[in-house]
Amino acid sequence: MKKNFFSIFLLLGFQLTFAQSFTASVDKNPVAENERFEVSFTFEGSDINSIRNFTPPSFENFRILSGPNQSTSMQIINGAVSASRTFSYILLPSSVGVFTIGSASIEFKGQVLKTEPLKITVVKGSPKPKEENVAGVSESEIAKNLFIRASVDKNRAYLGEQVTVTYKLYTRLNIAAQMSISKLPQYNGFWAEELETSRTLSFTTEVIDGKRYSVAVLKKAALFPTQVGKLEVTPFELTVPIEIPKKRNPNNIWDSFFDDPFRRGDIYQYNAKSNIVKIDVIPLPEQNKPASFKGAVGKFEFSATIDKSKTKTNEPITLKFNISGVGNLSLLQPPDFELPAGFEKYEPKTNDQINRLNKIGGVKTVEYLLIPRISGTREIKPILFSYFDPDVKRYIELKSNPFYLTIEQGDSAGSYYIAQKEGIKQLGTDIRFIKTNFQDIKRREELLISKPVFWIATGLPLIAFIGLIGWKRKQDKLSGNIQLLKYQRAEKIAKSKFKKALKFLEAGNSEAYYSEIAQAFFGYLEAKLHIPKSEFTLDKAHSLLIEKGIDTQLADRMKAAGEKCEFIRFAPNAGASTAMKEFYGELLNIVIDIEKGLDK
């Protein structure tokens, strides 16, 4: 008994005088392409309780399966106590080659210690084993207790009919930290619209096969088929960090003596993958299809109005369409109509107010500017709008009333107008009659030089000339600095894209801010890379950027930012002002770097 007490006294009382060290090691090198391996960062020193702020490397080119996992050891050799703490990760290589794992760092009593980088050689290996074990738990066991299920409200749909896909997370395990997106689903053959869901995960309870699961909706999307046939939606993949309890060794009394009661289990990064969704898309019937049909599918109401029925030549008239209901308003085309002779028609101004709750719908407003050039009585014939209703499986045609216009001859000095986005603008009038009677004209006796107007008229050209010289010198300076010129141009483009989002940022409206900045970012990529909206995916944008010579690291930054745009609701502090500003700066820098890269 005395001997055991003395041993414990030595263990607790001795102070180490050894120098501290921080090293990195791997359990195997080289490794096979589909082989997992462990990398460890070990601190050895006199006082392991004084270490702070462990920072791991980025682990680029490797997938983290588990970690960071902590372990502490202590031993007595010849009366001297040594202690160490190890931070370990289980990694899986992403490809074949020679890669570098960078330095990890740690703080110890005001000093920053760093490990040496590790070079890992990854060679061609055997296929990935069917059964993998982590801390004594197989992946098949995890898959039974944590999975993503994709479901659709219908497996058979007409061309252009909405299909709603919902992704739910089912879990019976402890999720240890924030989840991250591994891969977004691809909607090839569909026009996709994101539906509104909660920005924070809200769990409910469901019982499946007698087992109780916590369930949360991850994502909902409205899919509109753009081609017929059997279409597939690829899986949605999510990396979920789960906690696996550590097992103690019952034969070793020191395990229970030194064990930390607050110690967490091993963290395993499990890659959850949803099922593939299959949808059979059938064509719209040809029978009884009206000539006015232009592809609208859903349930709609249509009305047409004109702002006035009596006007004069060269004065504008506004013809307005209102189309409201449920369906894909973004792709909906306004109906055609005929105008009588003597009218000019300008490009329409369109406004969409879309509701994205469960069914895509809302109101589409289309305004045409019409300018009559000939006087008289004119008729605009009834305007026809038709759509296909998938519920009743037939076409429905709606018709407006005819419009009768009385057009009087305008002034002899008739005004002329041009169309602009915001409406029309009067340019001017014809030249009036030349003046022939000068009896009312009086001679001015004052000298012009005494008038302030004279000095203003004289000084303005001089000021403008000086300003022109300054501007020219600035342009010459910029022309001599090509990099500065390109940067300023790229910065201007980036800021213009996020101008509206910046207003929401300044107002602190996080929900509107994240929605607007995501639309602006994806819209920029679609326009810059010439990708149709219905075919846009982050993977496609990533590939096109690399094809255009953009650095792979920048393309990866773009993809990561895009995924963050889509799933910002997973971030617990998404609404914080600091996080919003950082995200704005991050996207701004990516657009600037892409602009500069494409200029090269």
Side-chain angles (χ1 to χ4, degrees):
M1 183 68 183
K2 290 182 178 179
K3 186 176 180 180
N4 289 339
F5 177 77
F6 182 67
S7 298
I8 294 173
F9 174 77
L10 287 175
L11 176 65
L12 300 177
F14 267 79
Q15 300 250 339
L16 285 178
T17 57
F18 302 144
Q20 64 278 354
S21 64
F22 189 40
T23 58
S25 61
V26 291
D27 63 342
K28 60 187 75 171
N29 194 11
V31 296
E33 182 181 8
N34 295 309
E35 183 181 15
R36 62 176 61 200
F37 68 98
E38 184 178 31
V39 58
S40 302
F41 304 97
T42 304
F43 173 85
E44 294 181 344
S46 58
D47 185 6
I48 60 173
N49 293 322
S50 295
I51 59 177
R52 300 284 186 276
N53 300 329
F54 168 71
T55 305
S58 65
F59 295 118
E60 190 177 359
N61 301 309
F62 297 94
R63 177 185 158 201
I64 301 174
L65 298 180
S66 177
N69 304 311
Q70 292 190 41
S71 61
T72 303
S73 66
M74 193 174 291
Q75 60 182 350
I76 304 173
I77 302 176
N78 296 328
V81 180
S82 62
S84 66
R85 179 167 293 170
T86 300
F87 303 85
S88 61
Y89 293 82
I90 304 296
L91 304 179
L92 188 69
S94 300
S95 58
V96 175
V98 178
F99 306 106
T100 300
I101 295 177
S103 300
S105 65
I106 206 166
E107 293 182 13
F108 176 74
K109 295 183 178 179
Q111 289 182 300
V112 177
L113 306 179
K114 291 186 177 181
T115 62
E116 293 293 330
L118 296 173
K119 283 195 177 295
I120 307 296
T121 302
V122 182
V123 297
K124 282 283 186 183
S126 57
K128 184 178 180 180
K130 293 183 179 179
E131 189 67 34
E132 295 183 345
N133 291 285
V134 182
V137 180
S138 67
E139 283 210 346
S140 60
E141 289 275 336
I142 298 173
K144 293 176 184 177
N145 294 283
L146 190 149
F147 54 88
I148 299 173
R149 179 172 291 178
S151 61
V152 291
D153 60 344
K154 55 178 74 74
N155 295 102
R156 183 180 174 88
Y158 283 102
L159 185 72
E161 180 184 4
Q162 177 175 333
V163 178
T164 303
V165 58
T166 305
Y167 297 90
K168 289 184 178 180
L169 173 67
Y170 292 77
T171 181
R172 301 176 68 218
L173 305 177
N174 181 25
I175 299 175
Q178 180 178 313
M179 297 176 286
S180 60
I181 307 305
S182 301
K183 193 171 184 180
L184 289 168
Q186 295 190 18
Y187 307 120
N188 294 325
F190 296 94
W191 171 284
E193 293 270 4
E194 294 293 321
L195 294 175
E196 294 180 8
T197 56
S198 174
R199 293 194 176 275
T200 57
L201 292 183
S202 178
F203 284 90
T204 58
T205 301
E206 288 187 25
V207 177
I208 302 176
D209 298 330
K211 294 181 179 180
R212 189 181 298 273
Y213 290 85
S214 294
V215 185
V217 175
L218 296 173
K219 173 183 173 69
K220 291 177 73 175
L223 308 181
F224 296 90
T226 57
Q227 62 188 59
V228 297
K230 297 187 182 297
L231 304 181
E232 289 186 353
V233 177
T234 61
F236 173 36
E237 299 182 29
L238 190 66
T239 300
V240 185
I242 59 174
E243 184 177 350
I244 300 177
K246 293 183 179 179
K247 293 184 177 180
R248 299 179 183 177
N249 184 1
N251 299 319
N252 190 340
I253 63 169
W254 295 107
D255 271 357
S256 59
F257 183 83
F258 289 109
D259 193 33
D260 181 359
F262 300 102
R263 180 179 62 178
R264 298 178 63 184
D266 289 337
I267 305 300
Y268 177 60
Q269 304 288 342
Y270 176 65
N271 191 52
K273 182 188 295 187
S274 72
N275 51 296
I276 295 175
V277 174
K278 297 182 179 181
I279 301 168
D280 185 15
V281 182
I282 58 177
L284 297 172
E286 291 295 326
Q287 186 178 4
N288 299 324
K289 181 187 290 187
S292 60
F293 180 71
K294 301 183 72 175
V297 178
K299 292 179 184 294
F300 297 99
E301 294 180 358
F302 170 73
S303 66
T305 58
I306 202 160
D307 64 339
K308 51 190 170 184
S309 59
K310 188 174 182 180
T311 186
K312 296 180 179 181
T313 56
N314 303 318
E315 290 188 1
I317 302 169
T318 300
L319 177 62
K320 183 177 180 181
F321 298 158
N322 274 299
I323 305 171
S324 61
V326 177
N328 192 358
L329 289 171
S330 298
L331 293 182
L332 191 147
Q333 299 181 40
D336 295 327
F337 61 95
E338 293 182 11
L339 281 176
F343 274 84
E344 289 185 20
K345 180 177 72 172
Y346 294 94
E347 285 299 315
K349 181 172 65 175
T350 304
N351 180 44
D352 293 338
Q353 296 178 356
I354 298 178
N355 176 14
R356 294 182 174 85
L357 290 177
N358 292 315
K359 286 282 188 179
I360 295 292
V363 180
K364 188 184 195 79
T365 304
V366 185
E367 293 185 6
Y368 288 90
L369 288 174
L370 311 176
I371 298 182
R373 298 302 188 190
I374 303 174
S375 61
T377 301
R378 299 287 185 270
E379 177 190 358
I380 298 177
K381 294 180 180 180
I383 300 166
L384 302 177
F385 171 76
S386 60
Y387 64 92
F388 179 78
D389 188 336
D391 291 339
V392 297
K393 298 180 175 57
R394 66 185 179 90
Y395 293 95
I396 297 174
E397 188 171 55
L398 305 175
K399 181 165 61 170
S400 74
N401 294 321
F403 299 102
Y404 298 97
L405 300 173
T406 302
I407 305 165
E408 298 177 352
Q409 181 63 44
D411 297 337
S412 58
S415 300
Y416 290 91
Y417 298 80
I418 60 168
Q420 296 181 337
K421 288 185 178 179
E422 64 274 10
I424 60 171
K425 181 179 180 180
Q426 182 176 354
L427 288 181
T429 60
D430 287 345
I431 300 173
R432 296 189 180 273
F433 296 106
I434 298 174
K435 188 176 182 66
T436 57
N437 185 2
F438 300 97
Q439 294 179 358
D440 58 341
I441 296 177
K442 295 181 180 180
R443 180 185 181 94
R444 292 186 180 273
E445 301 295 337
E446 299 179 41
L447 293 175
L448 184 61
I449 196 171
S450 63
K451 293 283 187 179
V453 176
F454 171 80
W455 293 107
I456 293 173
T458 306
L460 278 177
L462 180 61
I463 294 171
F465 179 70
I466 295 171
L468 182 63
I469 293 174
W471 177 83
K472 185 66 171 62
R473 288 180 177 177
K474 183 180 179 182
Q475 292 301 310
D476 291 343
K477 184 179 179 181
L478 287 174
S479 300
N481 189 345
I482 301 299
Q483 289 300 112
L484 178 60
L485 188 62
K486 287 182 177 181
Y487 179 83
Q488 289 187 350
R489 175 181 172 274
E491 186 179 29
K492 184 178 179 181
I493 291 173
K495 287 184 176 179
S496 67
K497 294 294 178 185
F498 302 139
K499 184 177 180 181
K500 191 173 179 181
L502 185 60
K503 293 180 180 178
F504 292 123
L505 172 63
E506 292 170 349
N509 188 343
S510 62
E511 185 173 349
Y513 163 72
Y514 283 118
S515 175
E516 180 61 34
I517 202 168
Q519 292 182 28
F521 186 57
F522 292 145
Y524 165 77
L525 293 172
E526 290 162 7
K528 200 70 183 176
L529 302 176
H530 306 292
I531 305 174
K533 189 175 181 66
S534 59
E535 300 176 11
F536 177 81
T537 64
L538 287 172
D539 288 334
K540 189 168 186 177
H542 184 276
S543 301
L544 287 175
L545 284 174
I546 293 176
E547 287 179 12
K548 291 178 179 292
I550 294 297
D551 182 65
T552 304
Q553 188 175 4
L554 175 56
D556 291 342
R557 282 171 55 204
M558 177 282 301
K559 185 177 179 182
E563 291 172 348
K564 190 174 180 182
C565 278
E566 287 284 345
F567 296 97
I568 196 70
R569 63 177 177 274
F570 291 143
N573 294 323
S577 177
T578 303
M580 291 165 64
K581 290 179 181 177
E582 289 176 354
F583 192 47
Y584 176 85
E586 180 182 350
L587 292 186
L588 194 69
N589 288 332
I590 289 172
V591 173
I592 290 172
D593 291 343
I594 289 175
E595 285 291 323
K596 291 194 292 184
L598 292 176
D599 279 345
K600 292 179 183 179

